[in-house]
Amino acid sequence: MTVESMKHETPETAGTPGTDGAPAPAEPPLAGGGVPLLGHGWRLARDPLAFMSRLRDHGDVVRLKLGPKTVYAVTAPALTGALALSPDYIIAGPLWESLEGLLGKEGVATANGPLHRRQRRTIQPAFRLDAIPGYGPVMEEETHELARRWRDGDAGETIDCTSESFRVAVRVAARCLLHGHYMDERAERLCGALASVFEGMYHRMVVPLGPLYRLPLPANREFNRALADLHLLVDEIIAERRASGQRPDDLLTALLEAKDDNGDPIGEQEIHDQVVAILTPGSETIAATIMSLLLVLADHPEHADKVRAEVHAVTGGRPVAFGDVRKLTHTNNVVVETMRLLPAVWILTRRAVTDTELGGYRIPAGADIVYSPYAIQHDPRSYERHQEFDPDRWLPQRSKDIPKYAMRPFSVGNRKCPSDHFSMALLTLVTAALATAFRFEQVPGSRPQPRVGITLRPQGLRLRAVPR
Ligand code: HEM
């Protein structure tokens, strides 16, 4: 049976009057096609993007089985907004459980309630709109350094898209937020460890068979080694800052000096988890998006040329600078359209903390909810020619017709990514600089495919950067 043949079951409680006489919320339909033990996990694992996208054909809220667990999938843009904005749901569920070994329980990405509010207050100043220009020089330096390396490389050399994208992402995050000049040799270590850890965590999310992952199998050993190395790296970063006795005005100083609600210094574990919670998702998402942008520049030379012309009109031929970014509207639209079609964060989860209701369906306390920004952003009901790469759909006269919450790559509400301005500035600058300096060509053997893990990015992309 294929996912197309998933069938609705009759809602068990539909139409049953509630105590006040109003119809009680219905049980969402169960997606068909699950198998004993794994439920829908194997379908999700086999073709996750198609699986999540096709769920919309079966309702705005659908029940799934992931291993022994029942999970509720939300497929309508408006309901994903309602979910993200409602206090009835917290950060939890398969995605966040799978990430707990990495992110811990005391960092901003995984904490809930008052702890999360306090942590957001600590990190927020580093990401405020008026703080971003302070990062401009580092973003410019790293972007132009990347272009210089490619220009100075051997003619015709194939770019290692993955490690180059990670390198910029890790270095910019570390240098801007942690003032780390120590990243040179650690960037490679961090990239390797992140790749193994995110892959292992994705398997644990989709097929949550806990004890299996404790067996001494090679894949489990590799995962544990990479995870330990990541934590060690973060301990080294913190220890070095302390040993230096310096207190630069950055996020690491803010974290080291943060106080809890009683005015006492926060614990070592919380400092550690906070650094991990900022460095790792930040690097993974930016790197994934740069890889997608490289693919787009190679696949759509007409848009690469348009970006180049726009940059030239703004700069008059000098190297593009951070201060130019807000004038680069087409370049920005290329970034947004790339994030629509290949969103780094393609899946998100929540947990209901109370018996509640979503879109007229009953959601019991403790239920895990999942939704896919990828599926929402590929919905033909929201987007004309939804599979087409069309940056001009983000021009104001056209974007006003796109439904609310049909494009929220940084999410909304109290868990919204703090780094939206930071990320958009960096990605626009990188796109502008690279499209101006190079024409990108796929080389023989390049077979880009979406690589679906905790994040989404192209893999198998082999490119040559031809200087312009
Ligand atoms: C293309 C780039 C990025 C995308 C698409 C992205 C996307 C997201 C999304 C969708 C969330 C919300 C998760 C949820 O609702 O469950 C999030 C949260 C978060 N992001 Fe990003 N992100 C990006 C870059 C970054 C960067 C560069 C950093 C840090 C340097 C960062 C740090 C965080 C943190 C700390 C959270 C947790 C916030 C909280 O729970 O309060 N992100 N991100």
Side-chain angles (χ1 to χ4, degrees), residues 316-340:
R318 63 163 164 75
V320 61
F322 177 85
D324 300 322
V325 161
R326 64 193 166 77
K327 298 184 206 133
L328 300 175
T329 45
H330 183 70
T331 313
N332 178 78
N333 291 347
V334 166
V335 175
V336 175
E337 182 67 347
T338 303
M339 290 168 78
R340 179 181 77 84

Side-chain angles (χ1 to χ4, degrees), residues 91 96 108-109 116 120 123 127 173 177 277-278 281-282 285-286 289 339 344-345 348-350 409-411 414-419 422-423 427:
I91 282 280
W96 299 105
V108 64
H116 173 253
R120 278 297 284 228
I123 68 164
F127 293 103
L177 301 170
I278 287 152
T285 49
I286 293 282
T289 310
M339 290 168 78
V345 179
L348 286 170
T349 66
R350 291 286 187 274
F410 297 101
S411 192
N414 65 340
R415 310 309 298 226
K416 176 173 166 287
C417 181
S419 171
F422 179 99
S423 302
L427 294 166

